[in-house]
Amino acid sequence: MKLRNAAALATLGTIFSLPVSLIAQDYALLQHVSQSSHDRAEREQTEKDHHNHTGVKIIGGSAAGGAAIGALAGGGKGALIGGAVGAGGGAIANKVRKDKAVNDRERREEEYRHDHHQYPR
């Protein structure tokens, strides 16, 4: 009896979740950005970051801050551990910043393309 109830619940759950998955697929198609557009935005952002040494500044600053706090808390060994933790946190923060910047570039390019193709001169 319990097996039959479990099978019935699983079947109903599948049936009721179909509309949700279809909505999610439609939303994904609306938010679609071509792979070449993504690659271009990522390449441009990487070039800008390398030119301005952005990643080095973020990771180095985080490592220095972590080392300073570690030195205050635990001396030389604490500075070493704090520096490593700070560098790791800086690397994560830099990755998040870069991904957001790439997404912003993609969005701006899509808006530009949409605005200029909608109203041709």
Side-chain angles (χ1 to χ4, degrees), residues 37-115:
S37 176
H38 174 77
D39 291 343
R40 182 175 40 257
E42 191 166 3
R43 189 172 50 250
E44 289 172 357
Q45 186 62 42
T46 300
E47 183 178 324
K48 180 181 179 221
D49 288 349
H50 284 197
H51 177 73
N52 295 323
H53 306 288
T54 306
V56 175
K57 291 175 185 175
I58 292 172
I59 295 171
S62 298
I69 292 172
L72 291 174
K77 188 175 179 181
L80 185 65
I81 294 170
V85 170
I92 292 170
N94 187 47
K95 173 71 171 143
V96 170
R97 181 206 52 83
K98 183 178 178 184
D99 288 345
K100 184 179 182 309
V102 168
N103 288 336
D104 288 346
R105 281 181 182 269
E106 290 173 352
R107 182 185 44 77
R108 283 194 308 266
E109 182 179 325
E110 188 64 32
E111 287 174 359
Y112 176 82
R113 191 177 314 126
H114 176 19
D115 290 345

